[in-house]
Amino acid sequence: MRAETLAIHAGNLYEPHTKDVTAPINLSTTFLRDADGGYSGGHMYSRMSNPNRAALEKTMAELEKGADACAFSSGNTAGMSVFQALKPGSHILAPDDMYWGFKRQLQSIFADTIEIDFIDLTNPDLIGGHIRKNTVMIWVETPSNPLLKITDIAAIAQIARSKGLILACDSTFASPCLQNPIALGANIVMHSSTKYIGGHSDVLGGVLVTAEKDELWEKIRNIQQVGGAVPSPFDCFLLSRSIKTLAYRMRGHCENGMALALYLEKHPVVEAVFYPGLPTHPGHETARQQMTGFGGMLSILIKGGADEARRVVNKMKLFAQATSLGGVESLIEHRASIEGPDTKTPQNLIRISAGLEHIDDLIADFEQALS
Ligand SMILES: *Cc1c(COP(=O)(O)O)cnc(C)c1O
């Protein structure tokens, strides 16, 4: 079945007694045990598993064409669970513009246990020179945050396979509807479901999907169940509800993202537009091959510096000045000041999350702010 259909039906585990058409919210933390000690209902204790999380995980595994999925209480814990599953002393390769929250985790929480090289993974030829005896994983993020760089997942998967390395992909900006890294050879896909999957800026969550239920996945499942950074049944219900419209929301985000990129590219106050849908973007060809749409995220450089960029952001009326992305409402932010003093993000960069408002209203807002 296609994504639109899976999104609506994959997780609908019909309740056998009350016969609900949509899944109810099961708040119970504990489940009845049979006379023989078994759990014929399939659940024992809700940190280990519960009906709402099981439904969300099943939907995500099917949408990402994987063998299994683990849902977490945030995107950060989803990623952290992968790093925790690696043997201490492991070396990994990650993108030089890796999502700053993960960079911070690796440099603080894992500073003594994981060795890391941040390199430009948009050039797969650089990988060979950085592989060490203890290298175990390549982590990619595409499109990347906030520069919208595109990494060739299939090309890196081939290198990873030939060197016996795990390939993990942060696919948050694409959502499962625009890109399926497992189908391109990745072992693990990571999403912050806080973003497009939730889509309404009202639930925090993260998901991992695996290509195979292998030894690494056993470790990750154990970290989820025993570590306990799990989403509540209500969070899982909200995410499952949101996923039903994901494919249609993504079409709107892509349409508005593209239209904004084309408008901003021509504006005299704008120095550069980073959007993989533009033919001038260096990753455009790769994006066309591995994505079915270019998404709703774009960044622009304003002529001038931080002050000019902040002035534009402050003048926006419809776009809310806030961090995060992927919701129905359009957001805008001066990125460098969110990331802190050691950021490499250009000071004149503005990150935009195109929402689902009418495009004419979004362009009119930029027209007045850039004037
Ligand atoms: C937001 C985000 C994360 C972290 O997810 P949280 O849900 O905020 O913990 C990771 N990667 C990318 C690309 C993100 O945008």
Side-chain angles (χ1 to χ4, degrees):
M1 285 188 283
R2 311 300 166 89
E4 289 82 350
T5 316
L6 289 173
I8 292 166
H9 292 288
N12 247 343
L13 314 171
Y14 290 108
E15 211 287 321
H17 303 296
T18 50
K19 305 190 187 293
D20 309 63
V21 168
T22 61
I25 306 173
N26 297 91
L27 292 174
S28 188
T29 52
T30 188
F31 299 85
L32 287 177
R33 207 165 175 190
D34 305 327
D36 65 0
Y39 286 93
S40 54
H43 304 282
M44 178 185 81
Y45 184 65
S46 67
R47 169 161 43 69
M48 302 299 284
S49 73
N50 63 69
N52 294 105
R53 201 172 88 209
L56 171 64
E57 291 175 344
K58 184 164 182 292
T59 307
M60 282 303 301
E62 297 217 12
L63 280 178
E64 280 293 12
K65 309 186 195 314
D68 200 10
C70 276
F72 294 87
S73 54
S74 72
N76 268 24
T77 34
M80 189 165 77
S81 299
V82 177
F83 307 138
Q84 283 176 323
L86 305 178
K87 258 200 210 117
S90 295
H91 171 246
I92 69 177
L93 296 177
D96 49 4
D97 65 338
M98 186 182 209
Y99 164 68
W100 71 292
F102 287 146
K103 215 175 221 182
R104 213 155 105 180
Q105 275 185 7
L106 287 162
Q107 291 173 334
S108 56
I109 302 173
F110 296 96
D112 299 328
T113 49
I114 291 181
E115 296 170 30
I116 179 148
D117 269 340
F118 295 105
I119 63 173
D120 180 8
L121 288 170
T122 62
N123 180 2
D125 295 342
L126 296 178
I127 293 173
H130 288 88
I131 292 179
R132 304 178 193 168
K133 263 206 226 92
N134 55 343
T135 306
V136 295
M137 184 173 80
I138 306 175
W139 178 281
V140 301
E141 178 184 329
T142 184
S144 76
N145 178 15
L147 292 174
L148 282 299
K149 289 210 250 174
I150 300 294
T151 302
D152 188 335
I153 301 170
I156 295 194
Q158 209 167 8
I159 299 171
R161 213 174 305 119
S162 73
K163 307 278 183 194
L165 309 176
I166 303 153
L167 174 61
C169 179
D170 182 342
S171 198
T172 300
F173 273 34
S175 92
C177 290
L178 301 185
Q179 163 179 297
N180 294 127
I182 287 173
L184 297 166
N187 304 94
I188 290 181
V189 183
M190 178 260 149
H191 285 282
S192 164
S193 37
T194 314
K195 316 295 170 52
Y196 287 113
I197 293 170
H200 296 73
S201 307
D202 55 8
V203 55
L204 198 70
V207 180
L208 296 175
V209 184
T210 188
E212 280 176 67
K213 290 192 190 180
D214 51 15
E215 202 181 320
L216 176 71
W217 188 250
E218 294 291 316
K219 282 190 184 173
I220 289 173
R221 179 63 84 182
N222 186 54
I223 289 166
Q224 179 209 35
Q225 295 179 322
V226 179
V230 292
S232 71
F234 185 60
D235 289 348
C236 295
F237 164 83
L238 282 177
L239 290 170
S240 295
R241 189 183 202 276
S242 290
I243 288 173
K244 294 183 188 193
T245 56
L246 180 61
Y248 292 89
R249 285 187 282 110
M250 290 317 294
R251 284 177 207 173
H253 288 297
C254 289
E255 211 177 288
N256 282 352
M258 188 74 209
L260 279 176
L262 290 170
Y263 162 78
L264 291 163
E265 195 187 28
K266 288 195 220 84
H267 202 286
V269 175
V270 177
E271 184 182 301
V273 177
F274 304 115
Y275 184 68
L278 294 175
T280 49
H281 187 286
H284 180 64
E285 269 315 307
T286 306
R288 269 171 40 124
Q289 281 165 29
Q290 69 187 18
M291 302 177 80
T292 57
F294 303 109
M297 290 303 296
L298 61 157
S299 290
I300 59 175
L301 299 181
I302 291 290
K303 286 183 182 161
D307 289 348
E308 284 74 14
R310 296 191 80 143
R311 201 172 306 133
V312 171
V313 167
N314 288 335
K315 273 180 80 178
M316 301 298 289
K317 291 185 176 133
L318 188 55
F319 283 73
Q321 182 177 177
T323 194
S324 199
L325 62 113
V328 292
E329 64 288 301
S330 291
L331 299 180
I332 192 160
E333 67 173 340
H334 176 246
R335 188 68 196 166
S337 50
I338 288 276
E339 295 184 351
D342 52 353
T343 178
K344 289 202 182 87
T345 296
Q347 288 295 326
N348 59 338
L349 183 140
I350 294 176
R351 194 184 78 173
I352 299 157
S353 173
L356 298 180
E357 301 91 341
H358 196 283
I359 187 61
D360 293 349
D361 297 325
L362 297 180
I363 288 178
D365 197 24
F366 265 109
E367 194 70 21
Q368 63 80 22
L370 292 171
S371 68

